[in-house]
Amino acid sequence: MNLTPLIQTFVLHFGEMGSRWGINRTVGQIYALLYVAREPLNADEIAEALGFSRSNVSMGLKELESWRLTRVQHKPGDRREYFSAPEDIWAIFRTLAEERRKREIDPTLSMLREALMENVSGAEDQHAQQRMREMHDLIELTTNWFSDVQRLEPKNLVSLMKMGSRVQKFLDLKDKLKLVTGGKSPPHA
Amino acid sequence: MNLTPLIQTFVLHFGEMGSRWGINRTVGQIYALLYVAREPLNADEIAEALGFSRSNVSMGLKELESWRLTRVQHKPGDRREYFSAPEDIWAIFRTLAEERRKREIDPTLSMLREALMENVSGAEDQHAQQRMREMHDLIELTTNWFSDVQRLEPKNLVSLMKMGSRVQKFLDLKDKLKLVTGGKSPPHA
DNA sequence: TTGAATTTTCAGGAAACTGTGAAAATTGTA
DNA sequence: TACAATTTTCACAGTTTCCTGAAAATTCAA
């Protein structure tokens, strides 16, 4: 690895973290490198910088592409592809959340919905269905809310977050004044 | 596995999902089983139901305990320990979030803070530091907000979530009326 | 079309992770 | 204290995942 110590620490950390998240070390390191790099990098430069084989880098980049986390561009007079991470970290965050939803949450919700359609009789199964319903409702509520909120302008999202739990006071306000919504029922209810 | 088909599907699904999340299959299946079980189960019952060795179950349960996701109780005249998942799924969710924060987010924030303290000169490192700062700020903002919001009563949390992005309208209201906060600066700013 | 540059695929060795049974340790009771 | 019940530890065999180099495929310029 011919990286500055600063960048090396960062890259190694995300390699480790990746493994805990079911993402392989190579992929974590490649993305960490792209994320901090000043310029887009080609596959050879990545392999060189991280000490991985060229083919390993190729597979890692494909994996990242399947997550829509990279941008590819070309330089004039150079056939090689140059990879980078998006400038906007909120965009990265959103993409990550969308992909995880598609790959993990949605299949889980489908499985739960099918299980809840079953007509069961035993007390064991009835209880299990009740628990699955609770899980289904929680997952559906939180993910719908998450994608709702992510549609806000980043600026507004930040100010919402900075309010933290004081947002509650506005909900109380709403209950008292019945303003704005005029009593319409909420979505996803 | 001598489980009803309904429960078996659920258990197998979480075994698979677990692997994608860096949680091993055994642990995922054990927790799925505890989650839907009507009664607390002892280790032998779990091993029997899932077809795992007794020792594997023992290790899986220890792992779950280290995540604070299980409750242990005893039956009168029976020395064995009986395991269950908490009744309240919001509590499970909160515990999971707290543990992940402790294990993954906090170490990452420390690493980033240390990297940001470094006094660097090269343009490469200066850019890297800038990117790390953006990441640090985003992680800190979202996790602080998350733990703030999780302190709300579940009932209020649910109504907040059901509002989705319409919460924005209340922020506009705040800006117009300068009510409630009276212009105090927000936390974590 | 040819061929050099580049990327991708893939078989198989290396490394990491899992799951087991046997043995050790712990726990509770007589 | 002794001992039976129960839980935990651990070395190792089995399995999965990772990574590589060699070969195949693709791309593009001449």
Side-chain angles (χ1 to χ4, degrees):
Chain A
M1 273 209 212
N2 72 43
L3 298 171
T4 67
L6 185 81
I7 293 180
Q8 182 157 342
T9 304
F10 181 81
V11 160
L12 292 177
H13 180 91
F14 277 90
E16 286 314 305
M17 274 308 160
S19 348
R20 291 210 200 170
W21 270 72
I23 290 158
N24 93 30
R25 205 171 46 90
T26 313
V27 174
Q29 291 193 15
I30 293 175
Y31 203 65
L33 178 60
L34 293 181
Y35 177 76
V36 295
R38 206 155 42 116
E39 297 290 337
L41 301 173
N42 66 47
D44 287 308
E45 289 168 338
I46 297 169
E48 157 76 26
L50 301 178
F52 295 140
S53 72
R54 183 61 185 71
S55 56
N56 195 5
V57 170
S58 174
M59 291 196 294
L61 287 169
K62 283 211 96 180
E63 173 78 7
L64 288 171
E65 280 180 276
S66 84
W67 284 81
R68 298 182 297 133
L69 286 170
T70 51
R71 299 279 173 277
V72 183
Q73 55 190 281
H74 287 272
K75 297 198 176 181
D78 185 339
R79 261 165 66 184
R80 288 169 297 181
E81 297 187 302
Y82 284 80
F83 298 86
S84 59
E87 283 294 310
D88 177 4
I89 191 168
W90 284 96
I92 295 175
F93 185 67
R94 196 175 319 118
T95 303
L96 213 49
E98 281 165 14
E99 286 292 324
R100 282 206 102 103
R101 173 176 189 151
K102 189 165 25 172
R103 294 165 189 231
E104 290 150 20
I105 310 288
D106 290 351
T108 299
L109 283 177
S110 302
M111 181 275 290
L112 290 171
R113 280 195 197 105
E114 282 190 26
L116 293 174
M117 304 272 286
E118 295 286 323
N119 213 307
V120 300
S121 48
E124 210 67 33
D125 274 355
Q126 302 224 331
H127 179 266
Q129 260 189 347
Q130 176 53 32
R131 290 292 264 170
M132 292 185 209
R133 194 180 326 279
E134 289 164 16
M135 178 178 287
H136 172 274
D137 291 352
L138 180 139
I139 294 175
E140 187 163 70
L141 179 64
T142 53
T143 55
N144 282 336
W145 166 80
F146 192 72
S147 57
D148 269 5
V149 158
Q150 253 186 356
R151 273 188 223 106
L152 297 176
E153 295 292 314
K155 197 181 65 91
N156 290 328
L157 187 49
V158 169
S159 78
L160 172 62
M161 286 187 164
K162 285 188 172 167
M163 285 181 74
S165 56
R166 286 178 299 134
V167 74
Q168 181 56 40
K169 295 185 177 161
F170 293 99
L171 294 183
D172 298 344
L173 195 68
K174 168 199 155 214
D175 286 347
K176 282 194 194 102
L177 303 183
K178 290 270 159 42
L179 278 174
V180 185
T181 64
K184 269 194 301 185
S185 63
H188 320 305
Chain B
M1 272 211 211
N2 71 42
L3 298 171
T4 68
L6 185 81
I7 294 180
Q8 181 157 339
T9 304
F10 181 81
V11 160
L12 291 176
H13 181 90
F14 277 91
E16 285 314 307
M17 274 307 161
S19 346
R20 290 210 203 171
W21 271 71
I23 290 158
N24 95 30
R25 203 169 49 91
T26 313
V27 175
Q29 291 193 15
I30 293 175
Y31 203 65
L33 178 60
L34 293 180
Y35 177 76
V36 295
R38 206 153 42 116
E39 297 289 337
L41 301 173
N42 67 44
D44 287 309
E45 289 168 337
I46 296 169
E48 158 75 26
L50 299 177
F52 295 140
S53 72
R54 182 64 185 71
S55 57
N56 195 3
V57 170
S58 173
M59 292 197 293
L61 287 168
K62 283 213 95 182
E63 173 77 8
L64 288 170
E65 280 180 275
S66 84
W67 284 81
R68 299 182 296 133
L69 287 171
T70 52
R71 299 278 172 276
V72 183
Q73 55 190 283
H74 287 273
K75 297 196 176 182
D78 185 339
R79 262 164 66 184
R80 290 170 296 180
E81 297 187 300
Y82 284 79
F83 298 86
S84 59
E87 282 294 310
D88 177 4
I89 190 167
W90 284 95
I92 296 175
F93 185 66
R94 196 175 319 116
T95 303
L96 212 49
E98 279 165 13
E99 286 292 326
R100 283 207 102 104
R101 172 174 192 153
K102 190 164 23 174
R103 293 165 190 230
E104 290 152 19
I105 310 287
D106 290 351
T108 299
L109 283 177
S110 302
M111 180 276 291
L112 290 171
R113 279 194 198 105
E114 283 191 27
L116 292 174
M117 304 272 287
E118 295 286 324
N119 213 307
V120 300
S121 47
E124 211 67 34
D125 273 355
Q126 301 224 334
H127 180 266
Q129 260 189 347
Q130 178 51 33
R131 290 292 263 170
M132 292 185 207
R133 193 179 329 277
E134 289 164 16
M135 179 178 285
H136 172 275
D137 291 352
L138 180 138
I139 295 175
E140 187 163 71
L141 179 64
T142 54
T143 55
N144 282 336
W145 165 80
F146 191 73
S147 58
D148 270 4
V149 158
Q150 254 186 356
R151 275 188 221 104
L152 298 176
E153 295 293 316
K155 198 181 63 85
N156 290 328
L157 187 49
V158 169
S159 77
L160 173 61
M161 287 187 166
K162 285 188 173 167
M163 286 181 75
S165 56
R166 286 178 302 134
V167 73
Q168 181 56 40
K169 296 187 177 161
F170 292 98
L171 295 184
D172 297 343
L173 195 68
K174 170 199 155 215
D175 287 345
K176 283 195 194 104
L177 302 183
K178 291 270 156 48
L179 279 174
V180 185
T181 64
K184 271 194 301 186
S185 64
H188 321 304

